[in-house]
Amino acid sequence: MNTARRATVLRAAELYYAEHFTMEAIAKELGCSRATVSRLVGEARGAGLVEITVHREGRAASTLERLIAERYGVEATVVSPPERATEGERLLHVATRAAAKLRSTLSADTTIAVTWGITIATLARNLTPGVVPGLQVVQMSGSGNTFSSGAEYASGVFDRFGAVLGARVHHFPVPAFFDSAATKAALWAEHSVQRIVRLQQRADVALFSLGALGGGIPGHLYRAGYLDRDDLRSLTEQGVVGELGTVFLHATGSSTGLTVNERSSGLPIETLRRIPRRLCVALGEAKAPVLRAALLAGAVTELIVDTSAAEPLVD
C-alpha cells in the first residue's frame, strides 16, 4: 500500500470508526462512491490500521446507554476506549466522539454557550472544519483568577471554535470568582456584561464538562489558582462533589446554600436548564459523583461519557 493510498484508507477509517460518519457522509467528504468507502474501510481492517476490541468485563456500551437513559431521562452516548489506554488517550477518544456529535447537529444561526477546561479544549481541537452560517459561541463563565486574567487560556479554547466553524466568538472577560457577591452584582449592572449574560441565557445549545474535586487529570480550575486549600477544604466539608462552569454542586444536585456560588461568574443551574440542548462531556470514574449530581439537577439533556464514568451511574 503506497503512502497516498494508506492516507486515504486511514482517513476513511477515522471518519467511520472515530467520528461515526455514515458511509454516505464519508463518500461526500472524500469525493467517491459509497461502495468505494466500504472497500476502504474493509481495507483498513485488513491492513491492521483498525483494531476492534470487545470489552467483556462490565456492561456493554449500548446497555449502559439504555440504563442511563431510563434512569435519568437523557440521551446517552457511552464511549469504550481501548482497555490499556492512558488518561490522555481516553480523553481524546471521548472528546473526538463528542466533537463529531456536536458538529453533526449544528445548524445555521445557532448560539452555543461553552465552558472552558481541558475536556472542552480537546473537543475544540478535534472539530471537523466547516463554516456554520450565523453561528455564535459565547463564553459561559469568567476565567480570571488572582494570578492572571485567564484570557490566554480561555480565549484559545473559544477562538478555536471560531476558526474551525467560522463562528462569531463572544468572550466574557470577568473573574471566575469575585471577592464578594456585592462586587459581582455591581459589575452585572454594566451594559457590556449584561449583553454577554443575555447571550448566555438565550443560547440554543450549552456545551460543558464537569470538574470533580479529584481525578486522574485534575481540572484547570483546581490547578491554576482559582481556589486555595481553605476553599477546597470548605467545599468538601459541605458535601460538594464538583462544579459545572464554576457553579458548585452538592451530591444531591443542589447548588444552593453555597456562598462561593454567590461569587461565581458561572451560569446558575436554574438558568442553564432553560437552554433547550445541554451537552455534557465527561470521563473517568472520579467524575461519576459530580456527573450524577448534574443529572439529578436536570442540567443535562445529552451525555457523552466513557465506560468508567458511566458504570457508577447505573450501579
Side-chain angles (χ1 to χ4, degrees):
M1 187 186 303
N2 61 40
T3 302
R5 178 68 175 181
R6 182 184 176 87
T8 302
V9 168
L10 185 58
R11 181 56 180 158
E14 287 176 338
L15 291 171
Y16 186 72
Y17 289 107
E19 301 186 26
H20 303 279
F21 276 45
T22 63
M23 290 286 187
E24 290 79 7
I26 298 172
K28 184 177 180 180
E29 177 82 10
L30 299 182
C32 61
S33 68
R34 187 185 183 284
T36 299
V37 173
S38 181
R39 287 194 295 271
L40 290 170
V41 171
E43 190 174 339
R45 292 181 62 180
L49 298 177
V50 173
E51 295 181 2
I52 299 176
T53 304
V54 177
H55 297 272
R56 298 191 179 277
E57 294 183 4
R59 300 176 179 88
S62 58
T63 301
L64 289 168
E65 290 171 352
R66 176 178 57 80
L67 292 173
I68 291 171
E70 291 174 353
R71 179 168 297 187
Y72 300 102
V74 301
E75 178 186 323
T77 299
V78 177
V79 182
S80 299
E83 185 177 351
R84 294 181 177 83
T86 65
E87 287 283 347
E89 291 167 343
R90 295 181 75 88
L91 170 60
L92 183 59
H93 273 80
V94 174
T96 300
R97 182 73 171 272
K101 183 175 180 64
L102 174 69
R103 187 69 181 82
S104 66
T105 58
L106 287 178
S107 57
D109 300 319
T110 296
T111 298
I112 310 177
V114 184
T115 61
W116 46 268
I118 294 170
T119 302
I120 300 302
T122 307
L123 184 156
R125 288 194 296 270
N126 287 278
L127 283 166
T128 301
V131 173
V132 180
L135 182 67
Q136 297 190 84
V137 174
V138 57
Q139 185 175 337
M140 209 161 92
S141 63
S143 57
N145 60 43
T146 55
F147 297 103
S148 73
S149 68
E152 181 178 352
Y153 175 82
S155 64
V157 176
F158 300 108
D159 289 346
R160 176 64 180 171
F161 279 93
V164 172
L165 303 177
R168 181 184 179 189
V169 176
H170 303 271
H171 295 285
F172 197 27
V174 300
F177 300 99
F178 290 85
D179 290 338
S180 70
T183 305
K184 173 188 170 181
L187 190 58
W188 254 233
E190 294 292 326
H191 290 302
S192 59
V193 173
Q194 289 177 0
R195 181 184 70 85
I196 301 297
V197 172
R198 282 195 298 269
L199 280 170
Q200 295 170 349
Q201 294 171 343
R202 297 172 183 172
D204 305 291
V205 181
L207 174 65
F208 54 89
S209 188
L210 302 163
L213 292 183
I217 302 180
H220 188 76
L221 188 71
Y222 306 110
R223 297 186 294 108
Y226 291 91
L227 299 164
D228 59 30
R229 291 182 179 180
D230 289 338
D231 289 328
L232 294 172
R233 186 181 303 110
S234 175
L235 290 169
T236 302
E237 290 172 351
Q238 295 178 80
V240 169
V241 289
E243 50 82 27
L244 190 171
T246 70
V247 175
F248 287 92
L249 297 168
H250 292 286
T252 59
S254 170
S255 57
T256 60
L258 298 169
T259 57
V260 66
N261 284 343
E262 297 173 8
R263 301 186 287 108
S264 170
S265 62
L267 200 63
I269 301 300
E270 58 271 20
T271 305
L272 174 64
R273 285 197 294 259
R274 300 190 192 111
I275 297 175
R277 288 187 62 206
R278 305 181 296 278
L279 282 70
C280 176
V281 187
L283 68 151
E285 186 177 356
K287 291 288 182 70
V290 65
L291 185 52
R292 183 183 291 109
L295 289 165
L296 293 174
V300 180
T301 60
E302 298 170 48
L303 180 65
I304 303 97
V305 291
D306 70 344
T307 47
S308 296
E311 283 278 3
L313 296 178
V314 298
D315 284 342

